[in-house]
Amino acid sequence: MSLRSPLSQALGLGAAHAGPHHWWMQRLTSLALVPLTVWFVASLLALPRLDYGHVRAWMGQSWTTVGLILLVGVATWHSRLGVQVVVEDYVHESGQKTLALVLSSFVHALLALAGVFAILKVSFGVSA
Amino acid sequence: MTRYTLLTSILNRGTGLLLSLGLLLLVFWLMAVAQGPASYAQVAAFLAQPAMKLIYLGLIVAFCYHLIAGIRHLIWDTGHGLSRAQSERSAGLVIGASLLLMGLLTWFFLFVRGAP
């Protein structure tokens, strides 16, 4: 006795996964990224130079650290959701689609971790 | 102002993908800072090349567009502006507003401060 609903068997589409959650997360991350990205771009423009000293001093400020961690985390999340939509739209062969989605998830996770690690490492090295 | 809705949609997707690539650059840069001044100096030399400046320009253009087009999406999510006529009008607004933003940033870079 299959656990699938009769309709899903008739349509043959497979599992429904988490559509509404994806939609909502995309909206939340988009909303958060509006102030975060504007702040980031404005901050970079306001730095007199992008040499090591200036960048490190800027990153070491506590609220900058918090903002950068939020930016990296939310941006990689948003990017992962967006890439997922693109893959689902253009890659139709099941094996290739799965591979692409798994690779995307792994790369985005790596980017998020590396970004947060780098930010924290620099920030903790700057005296308060 | 007609028939721009398809263009704005695909541009939003395209700029989004470009910005995803830009995330690689962002993390690369952050890791360079984390690895100390000597390492950062080497990376900075690489990042200051003229070819890289083209990439920054592309990323800024992509960012300006994707931000404005994204805000339009968020406004749609509140239920406003969903009719065909409104969408076609806002498509033109998105292109105009993002060009304006790019112009503002360019003016700021060239005249208010020198590029870093």
Side-chain angles (χ1 to χ4, degrees):
Chain A
M1 163 94 191
S2 169
L3 288 172
R4 294 179 62 178
S5 69
L7 180 62
S8 80
Q9 287 178 67
L11 291 172
L13 292 175
H17 300 293
H21 181 76
H22 180 289
W23 185 91
W24 181 231
M25 286 302 115
Q26 192 62 298
R27 269 62 190 172
L28 267 187
T29 54
S30 303
L31 196 58
L33 282 172
V34 174
L36 281 171
T37 55
V38 169
W39 161 77
F40 177 69
V41 171
S43 299
L44 281 188
L45 288 179
L47 283 178
R49 290 188 58 210
L50 287 178
D51 63 316
Y52 181 76
H54 283 95
V55 173
R56 183 172 177 265
W58 171 67
M59 283 176 70
Q61 294 171 58
S62 297
W63 281 110
T64 307
T65 307
V66 171
L68 285 174
I69 291 175
L70 282 173
L71 174 69
V72 166
V74 176
T76 48
W77 192 358
H78 181 86
S79 171
R80 175 180 174 254
L81 293 174
V83 169
Q84 178 182 348
V85 171
V86 173
V87 167
E88 286 171 350
D89 278 355
Y90 300 129
V91 183
H92 296 118
E93 196 275 298
S94 169
Q96 288 174 0
K97 186 199 296 193
T98 306
L99 179 64
L101 290 175
V102 167
L103 272 178
S104 170
S105 293
F106 283 6
V107 169
H108 282 103
L110 176 64
L111 285 176
L113 182 63
V116 170
F117 162 77
I119 294 162
L120 285 175
K121 179 164 192 272
V122 172
S123 183
F124 289 156
V126 177
S127 37
Chain B
M1 216 52 62
T2 57
R3 306 285 168 86
Y4 282 108
T5 46
L6 178 60
L7 175 69
T8 51
S9 174
I10 197 65
L11 275 179
N12 197 29
R13 178 167 281 200
T15 53
L17 288 174
L18 276 175
L19 289 169
S20 294
L21 290 176
L23 273 180
L24 289 164
L25 191 60
L26 174 66
V27 171
F28 175 66
W29 176 66
L30 290 171
M31 286 292 281
V33 186
Q35 283 168 326
S39 169
Y40 185 81
Q42 285 183 312
V43 169
F46 169 73
L47 292 177
Q49 293 173 84
M52 290 306 294
K53 307 218 171 172
L54 266 179
I55 292 181
Y56 306 144
L57 181 64
L59 284 173
I60 289 172
V61 167
F63 169 67
C64 290
Y65 184 85
H66 195 78
L67 174 67
I68 306 291
I71 290 173
R72 178 172 175 241
H73 263 284
L74 289 174
I75 294 174
W76 277 335
D77 290 335
T78 67
H80 283 94
L82 287 166
S83 80
R84 166 171 279 184
Q86 288 168 315
S87 298
E88 281 168 3
R89 207 176 319 128
S90 61
L93 274 175
V94 163
I95 295 179
S98 49
L99 284 173
L100 185 68
L101 186 58
M102 290 175 225
L104 267 171
L105 281 177
T106 309
W107 169 82
F108 183 81
F109 253 124
L110 293 179
F111 298 112
V112 177
R113 63 163 296 179

